[in-house]
Amino acid sequence: MNVKDIDNKISELVREKQLLNKSLKRTNDINEIKVIKKRIIELNGLINIEKSKYSEVEKSMEVNV
């Protein structure tokens, strides 16, 4: 996996999170709010996992040098 792939995946996750935040502001349904907040928490975790891959790429580049 390269840096560009990681950037694209993070961008995709952040876009989804932004859309969910907008939906969260527009809804008053308690059940929908719970589902949206749960998904936002999941997305935060996925974003952090993707960000951690940067260090893996750096390590593999150091080995190849």
Side-chain angles (χ1 to χ4, degrees):
M1 181 169 276
N2 62 34
V3 175
K4 187 174 181 179
D5 293 336
I6 297 170
D7 288 342
N8 289 339
K9 183 65 177 175
I10 290 173
S11 295
E12 178 183 317
L13 294 169
V14 168
R15 267 185 259 125
E16 182 180 350
K17 182 179 170 185
Q18 289 171 337
L19 290 173
L20 287 172
N21 278 319
K22 286 181 180 179
S23 297
L24 190 61
K25 292 176 184 176
R26 292 185 179 139
T27 186
N28 291 325
D29 182 19
I30 298 295
N31 291 326
E32 191 174 358
I33 290 172
K34 287 180 183 179
V35 170
I36 291 171
K37 285 185 176 183
K38 183 177 179 182
R39 181 62 182 155
I40 289 173
I41 291 169
E42 290 172 359
L43 288 171
N44 286 334
L46 292 171
I47 290 168
N48 287 333
I49 289 169
E50 291 298 319
K51 285 182 179 179
S52 70
K53 292 179 182 177
Y54 283 124
S55 61
E56 293 174 19
V57 170
E58 287 177 3
K59 287 179 185 175
S60 68
M61 291 174 76
E62 290 174 1
V63 171
N64 292 333
V65 174

